[in-house]
Amino acid sequence: MTNQYFVAVIGAGPAGLFGARELANLGARVVLFNRDIKPGGLAEYGIFPNKYTMKNGLRKQFRQIMDLSKLDYYGNVTVGSQGDLTLDDLRGLGFQAILVTAGAQGTKWLGLPGEDLEGVYHAKDVVYYYNGLPPYSQKSFHFGKRCAVIGAGNVMLDIVHYLSRDVKVDEVIAVVRRGPAEVKFDKKEMEYVIANLDQTALDSEIQRVAPIIQAVGQDADAARALILEALPKATPKTTDTRFSFEFLASPVQMIGDAEGKLTQVELEDNILLASNGDTKAKGTGNKRRLDVETVIFAIGDKVDKSFGLPVEWNEFAKNPNPHFPIDGNSYESPVDDVFVGGWSRNASLGLVGIARKDGTNAAKAVWQYLQTKQPSPANVEAVAARLKGLDKPIVLKEDIKKLEAVEIAEAKKQGLVEFKYTDNDEMLQAMGLKETV
Ligand SMILES: Cc1cc2nc3c(=O)[nH]c(=O)nc-3n(C[C@H](O)[C@H](O)[C@H](O)COP(=O)(O)OP(=O)(O)OC[C@H]3O[C@@H](n4cnc5c(N)ncnc54)[C@H](O)[C@@H]3O)c2cc1C
Ligand SMILES: NC(=O)c1ccc[n+]([C@@H]2O[C@H](COP(=O)([O-])OP(=O)(O)OC[C@H]3O[C@@H](n4cnc5c(N)ncnc54)[C@H](OP(=O)(O)O)[C@@H]3O)[C@@H](O)[C@H]2O)c1
């Protein structure tokens, strides 16, 4: 056993993988624990399924990281106060620092009446479902003929994409709490769905809200032009799903029938108030209802409160006076040996590239912290023995290679661009980690 800095990285999404690579390249011995069997996080299970080139490009980079000799991978292992291993267990195994890159796995409930009705969902669960992540892939979702999606970000557009092109619903309405000048989505993502956008309805909606947005100095024509910027490169539509916007409206309650199924969402109209160079939505008290069978909240996520670290707002708390700031940011949790990166540090912020940089920076902060300690005998055997003792199959990097090979062969056999198991047992059987029944 040689003396090396010994670090546990929790979560193998882009932040954890690139953070682990940085630590291994700097000379640390790294063990990467991942809840899911496969690495990749939202790059595997969030990015829209048909973005094959992007996903395969990322998988290739992840494979290279997984091949690093100074890195061990344990998939199907959850860390946290209610997980397979706690943070104290990791300390007991000799890890000198813990980098938490577990994403933002909690749900941002708004506490509205009717959130528990059948047909009311949060975007993360839906994207995990259509991307085939167990156990979400095995849950049943009711996507009715008329659906509302709350939010105006790229996730809202991904859901509209799925509902219009894959589920083929009759109508999908994006409910946006502020105005058309404050949508957060990108032109590129709008290209996939703009052919289904009811432009006449958009024009009358913008006309309706124009006086309110003009009152805070916003330009309604410019906002309209920005939304329609995607038109020249619109992907041809494949269904007659009608896509429309309701601006300046917030859900206040969901209403269901006697069987607990969603039938309506009640919205409150908003005005905009100028606030420190930005705007805030304020309810007017005027309420109206939309007949919908499905409501999906695409309003961002929050971290998992049960993980065992202090939470502030939607993310794990950071030490406001970091000892090892990187680019002026704190990657330190209030707990001495625990660091945070990626969406665990900044929930729902940015693209894969941002998560990659954040994980790398977090790793740099960990490395600086380690320089205040002595390297220790990194007891990887003790870690392996502890994991073997868990009452569940543990997935190693060579198992992932096997799984990938089986999935590629299966895709070929079935004549598919891609084949993906959506059941943990099937994945474990394909890797030979569970007996086929
Ligand atoms: C619907 C959607 C679509 C997106 N599309 C794009 C896109 O097209 N292009 C783009 O650039 N970006 C896209 N993004 C953004 C991108 O996916 C994120 O920026 C990035 O994945 C965040 O990385 P992360 O590592 O912080 O978290 P995540 O990707 O969420 O990874 C977290 C990892 O931690 C693991 N984990 C969770 N809890 C635990 C635990 N307790 N113990 C052990 N492991 C745990 C999970 O299994 C997962 O592997 C999209 C995001 C969403 C939500
Ligand atoms: N294809 C892609 O490239 C892709 C796909 C998906 C996601 N992503 C990235 O992943 C990140 C997360 O995306 P996201 O769409 O979840 O987040 P986002 O871009 O922050 O958008 C969240 C939306 O939800 C609204 N919202 C937040 N809280 C609300 C509330 N309480 N009530 C009503 N509306 C509320 C926000 O409105 P306000 O503006 O008023 O706050 C905003 O419109 C983004 O960086 C995104 O670009 C990228």
Side-chain angles (χ1 to χ4, degrees), residues 51 108 110 150-156 158 176-178 182 184 186 189 250-251 298-300 343 348-351:
K51 289 188 174 173
K108 222 166 121 182
L110 298 181
I150 317 297
N154 282 325
V155 172
M156 176 278 285
D158 272 4
V176 183
R177 69 173 164 187
R178 294 195 286 164
E182 277 130 342
K184 299 250 183 86
D186 297 321
E189 302 316 306
S250 294
I299 59 173
W343 281 24
S348 293
L349 184 81
L351 303 180

Side-chain angles (χ1 to χ4, degrees), residues 11 13-15 34-36 41-42 46-47 51 79 102 158 342-343 350-352 355:
N34 197 37
R35 176 199 66 189
D36 306 333
L42 284 165
I47 293 180
K51 289 188 174 173
V79 175
D158 272 4
W343 281 24
L351 303 180
V352 165

Side-chain angles (χ1 to χ4, degrees), residues 134-207:
Y136 304 88
S137 46
Q138 278 116 25
K139 294 196 171 142
S140 76
F141 288 82
H142 175 67
F143 302 117
K145 284 184 165 42
R146 219 166 167 242
C147 306
V149 188
I150 317 297
N154 282 325
V155 172
M156 176 278 285
L157 283 188
D158 272 4
I159 302 278
V160 172
H161 185 169
Y162 174 67
L163 293 176
S164 57
R165 300 182 84 87
D166 295 331
V167 185
K168 306 182 198 319
V169 302
D170 288 352
E171 190 167 355
V172 49
I173 306 152
V175 177
V176 183
R177 69 173 164 187
R178 294 195 286 164
E182 277 130 342
V183 293
K184 299 250 183 86
F185 52 74
D186 297 321
K187 180 175 112 185
K188 182 85 205 93
E189 302 316 306
M190 189 62 162
E191 287 170 1
Y192 299 111
V193 291
I194 199 163
N196 286 84
L197 181 68
D198 182 335
Q199 285 184 53
T200 313
L202 177 74
D203 284 345
S204 58
E205 182 62 0
I206 290 186
Q207 218 176 352

Side-chain angles (χ1 to χ4, degrees), residues 8-9 30 41 48 64 132 152 154 184 252 273 298 303 315 344 364 372 382 387 389 396 424 436:
V9 178
V30 184
F48 207 76
Q64 284 167 359
N154 282 325
K184 299 250 183 86
V252 287
L273 299 179
V303 294
E315 48 238 8
S344 284
K364 287 180 180 157
T372 68
L387 286 156
L396 307 179
N424 274 349
T436 318

Side-chain angles (χ1 to χ4, degrees), residues 68-182:
L68 293 172
S69 60
K70 287 171 85 74
L71 182 150
D72 291 342
Y73 176 81
Y74 292 107
N76 205 27
V77 178
T78 302
V79 175
S81 58
Q82 289 160 23
D84 302 310
L85 295 170
T86 64
L87 295 179
D88 272 344
D89 289 335
L90 296 179
R91 292 184 185 105
L93 286 165
F95 289 105
Q96 294 170 287
I98 300 167
L99 171 56
V100 178
T101 48
Q105 309 298 337
T107 302
K108 222 166 121 182
W109 293 110
L110 298 181
L112 304 178
E115 282 180 339
D116 54 345
L117 290 168
E118 187 187 339
V120 180
Y121 308 114
H122 273 257
K124 181 163 45 60
D125 300 27
V126 175
V127 306
Y128 277 165
Y129 164 75
Y130 67 63
N131 265 294
L133 174 66
Y136 304 88
S137 46
Q138 278 116 25
K139 294 196 171 142
S140 76
F141 288 82
H142 175 67
F143 302 117
K145 284 184 165 42
R146 219 166 167 242
C147 306
V149 188
I150 317 297
N154 282 325
V155 172
M156 176 278 285
L157 283 188
D158 272 4
I159 302 278
V160 172
H161 185 169
Y162 174 67
L163 293 176
S164 57
R165 300 182 84 87
D166 295 331
V167 185
K168 306 182 198 319
V169 302
D170 288 352
E171 190 167 355
V172 49
I173 306 152
V175 177
V176 183
R177 69 173 164 187
R178 294 195 286 164
E182 277 130 342

